Amino acid sequence: MKARTKSVAQQSLVCEWTSNPYGEVTLARPRASADYEGPALFERFLSRDNLAQAWQRVRSNKGAPGVDGLSIADFPDHTRSHWSKILAMLRSGTYRPQPVRRVLIPKSGGGTRPLGIPTVLDRLIQQALAQVLVPIFDPQFHPHSYGFRPQRSAHDAVLRINAGIVDEKLSWAVDIDLSQFFDRVDHDLLMNRVARLVPDQRILRLIGHLLRSGVLDAGCYTATVAGVPQGGPLSPLLANIMLDDLDQEIAHRGHWHARYADDFIILTKSEAAAQRVLRSIRRYIERRLKLQVNETKSRVVRASHATFLGFTFHRRQVRWTDKTLSDFKHRVRSLTGRSRGISFQRRVQELNRYVRGWMGYFRLSRYYRPLEGLDDWIRRRLRMCMWKHWRYARTRVRTLIAMGAPKTHAIKAGSSNKSCWRLAKTLASNAAMNLTWFDQQGVLSIRKLWIDFHYPNG
């Protein structure tokens, strides 16, 4: 192989020409330097500091037990006496991961997504591997890949697409959906890409065993001949390694794009160009990467109608999608259901946790108009819960008066036989449970969270 000259950004790596599965010479790809060859990488993987750091990450992430039923809390005491034997097996290459436990989690759009839960020990090994492999691979990834990478986020990917629409005047979007990507990854192609930068056979062999560890679903074992099980600490890195060639190919063709995990969008100036890109990229994905494109979800649309990571780009502004808002309301209705037998303070805590997380992600939206209405709607639902809690007319009247509602309105509302939802909008309700009262209860305001982000200086 003919070695290429080092670049400044790749001081520890050099490049080599590689051939694709069809024998054609393609883009120059990085080759491992001497820093990563020999036993140094494997010893770094098994070093005390690396394993201690990996354990801290695994413990902080918590997570459910694997097929062995061993929890995070019980792992140290159970494993301490066997640790020397485990290290010896890892060094000799005789360690075999246990199957992952299959769990189906519901998807927001309906259906379920299979999740593979490795044992705590296998999670520790995967995390330790990821910590030594990320510094090797991450600098070589394309800059417009944003998923599961240090100092990058989904917001960066969304802003990248918005910049293409606003600054580059790209008005058409190619939205390609990969069908069951994590279940269809070809092991041979993936290991070939890992071996470009990791020549240590012990590392490669261990990754191969992790990929082929199998799945245990309801007591039934299934061998894994393809795919990267979602749920392990190493899976995001392997997914980026597999799809980096796609990023490089799109950039080599001069297209504006952004990718987050297996979600990506390509922008073009015309519909005809977008249709050509869709056809050619589909061929590349299916022939070179041996992945499947979802024909029903892949499409060419106006950039203003494209959706990406829960956002849309209406009138060249980042906004959350209608489906995102609908899912938010559905979840809030569940948390504020009046039939839930929990205290008001616990209800507020659960609601605040969800609202803070939701707004922490979707605060990027520039759409302010619905925020006040959302706050009013949430407060009305909480008032409805209080009406349900008071239950009896005399309790309602006495409590409303004590909370500052006018006596006449308190008696009229408290003795009414209307629904709790109707009564939550009465003058007595708004006088007793006003904005000051909600602030005292610690109820978060979506509008205030949005303003604090977009206008931190007031």
Side-chain angles (χ1 to χ4, degrees):
M1 295 263 180
K2 181 180 178 181
R4 306 293 292 178
T5 307
K6 285 185 181 180
S7 66
V8 175
Q10 302 173 347
Q11 292 180 359
S12 62
L13 300 169
V14 293
C15 292
E16 63 179 4
W17 293 106
T18 60
S19 298
N20 61 38
Y22 301 93
E24 302 166 351
V25 177
T26 57
L27 300 176
R29 303 294 297 155
R31 177 172 61 84
S33 72
D35 296 338
Y36 301 128
E37 295 179 357
L41 182 61
F42 193 81
E43 293 305 321
R44 198 182 314 156
F45 154 60
L46 289 182
S47 68
R48 188 181 186 88
D49 291 342
N50 186 57
L51 291 171
Q53 182 182 354
W55 168 242
Q56 293 299 327
R57 291 290 300 274
V58 170
R59 185 171 60 179
S60 64
N61 291 335
K62 300 180 181 179
V67 295
D68 59 356
L70 191 64
S71 66
I72 293 286
D74 297 334
F75 176 79
D77 293 336
H78 181 273
T79 311
R80 188 173 291 111
S81 59
H82 307 290
W83 187 243
S84 59
K85 182 179 178 180
I86 294 172
L87 287 179
M89 294 171 65
L90 287 169
R91 294 183 188 278
S92 63
T94 58
Y95 177 81
R96 295 296 181 269
Q98 296 190 61
V100 298
R101 182 166 64 90
R102 173 63 55 85
V103 176
L104 298 179
I105 58 175
K107 297 168 64 174
S108 58
T112 58
R113 175 183 291 109
L115 190 69
I117 302 180
T119 63
V120 179
L121 176 59
D122 290 337
R123 291 209 293 271
L124 173 63
I125 292 172
Q126 289 191 39
Q127 180 62 42
L129 277 173
Q131 289 171 182
V132 297
L133 294 180
V134 166
I136 299 174
F137 284 96
D138 191 77
Q140 311 309 314
F141 288 152
H142 194 275
H144 299 143
S145 165
Y146 298 94
F148 313 114
R149 298 185 60 188
Q151 308 301 321
R152 294 169 184 265
S153 67
H155 286 181
D156 297 325
V158 173
L159 292 176
R160 162 74 179 174
I161 295 300
N162 191 60
I165 296 172
V166 175
D167 301 334
E168 302 297 323
K169 306 297 189 294
L170 301 173
S171 55
W172 287 87
V174 182
D175 186 358
I176 300 179
D177 182 80
L178 299 180
S179 177
Q180 298 178 337
F181 164 72
F182 283 91
D183 295 331
R184 296 179 183 270
V185 172
D186 185 277
H187 288 172
D188 291 336
L189 291 181
L190 174 59
M191 293 306 299
N192 177 269
R193 283 156 175 76
V194 175
R196 290 171 179 171
L197 295 181
V198 181
D200 192 313
Q201 292 299 315
R202 292 174 296 178
I203 295 286
L204 297 176
R205 191 180 301 112
L206 180 56
I207 295 175
H209 290 320
L210 290 168
L211 290 173
R212 296 187 297 272
S213 60
V215 175
L216 196 64
D217 187 4
C220 181
Y221 173 82
T222 304
T224 49
V225 297
V228 177
Q230 298 185 67
L234 192 60
S235 299
L237 174 63
L238 296 178
N240 278 334
I241 293 173
M242 187 66 190
L243 291 177
D244 185 59
D245 280 6
L246 176 62
D247 295 328
Q248 302 292 347
E249 178 67 20
I250 295 173
H252 182 66
R253 298 183 184 188
H255 301 310
W256 190 283
H257 87 291
R259 181 179 65 82
Y260 188 92
D262 59 334
D263 294 329
F264 66 99
I265 280 185
I266 305 171
L267 298 179
T268 64
K269 289 187 176 181
S270 67
E271 183 180 8
Q275 293 290 356
R276 288 195 301 269
V277 170
L278 176 59
R279 290 192 296 269
S280 62
I281 293 298
R282 181 195 295 130
R283 285 195 301 270
Y284 181 88
I285 291 172
E286 294 179 348
R287 296 180 183 179
R288 304 292 178 86
L289 302 182
K290 296 184 180 180
L291 297 171
Q292 188 69 39
V293 173
N294 190 327
E295 299 290 345
T296 59
K297 294 185 179 180
S298 300
R299 57 179 185 157
V300 169
V301 294
R302 286 275 186 183
S304 58
H305 296 158
T307 60
F308 186 48
L309 302 177
F311 293 94
T312 188
F313 307 93
H314 184 67
R315 295 182 179 178
R316 298 188 174 186
Q317 279 191 344
V318 177
R319 296 186 179 186
W320 55 60
T321 63
D322 293 338
K323 182 180 180 303
T324 294
L325 186 58
S326 176
D327 292 342
F328 172 79
K329 289 185 174 181
H330 178 77
R331 179 59 176 161
V332 170
R333 287 191 187 96
S334 175
L335 292 172
T336 57
R338 61 187 182 183
S339 298
R340 298 184 67 203
I342 59 175
S343 67
F344 186 80
Q345 282 304 319
R346 180 181 170 186
R347 191 186 303 271
V348 170
Q349 290 174 2
E350 293 180 2
L351 179 65
N352 282 349
R353 189 181 305 116
Y354 176 70
V355 167
R356 187 180 290 108
W358 189 87
M359 182 51 66
Y361 181 77
F362 288 103
R363 64 186 180 180
L364 193 65
S365 170
R366 300 292 304 182
Y367 194 28
Y368 172 79
R369 183 177 299 176
L371 296 179
E372 289 189 0
L374 283 176
D375 275 340
D376 292 342
W377 176 71
I378 291 174
R379 286 193 292 266
R380 184 178 176 183
R381 290 199 62 84
L382 291 174
R383 292 187 184 106
M384 175 192 69
C385 294
M386 290 300 297
W387 275 98
K388 176 70 175 180
H389 176 69
W390 291 331
R391 192 172 182 179
Y392 298 109
R394 60 179 180 272
T395 305
R396 294 174 175 179
V397 173
R398 183 172 61 249
T399 308
L400 287 171
I401 295 175
M403 294 175 69
K407 184 175 181 180
T408 304
H409 292 283
I411 295 173
K412 181 179 179 180
S415 58
S416 173
N417 61 355
K418 293 181 180 179
S419 68
C420 295
W421 176 247
R422 292 281 298 275
L423 294 172
K425 200 177 181 180
T426 59
L427 188 146
S429 293
N430 284 271
M433 293 172 279
N434 52 27
L435 296 179
T436 302
W437 183 82
F438 279 107
D439 288 340
Q440 292 172 351
Q441 304 305 310
V443 178
L444 290 178
S445 166
I446 294 179
R447 173 179 173 272
K448 186 176 185 304
L449 291 174
W450 187 90
I451 291 176
D452 289 343
F453 174 74
H454 288 277
Y455 304 98
N457 297 324

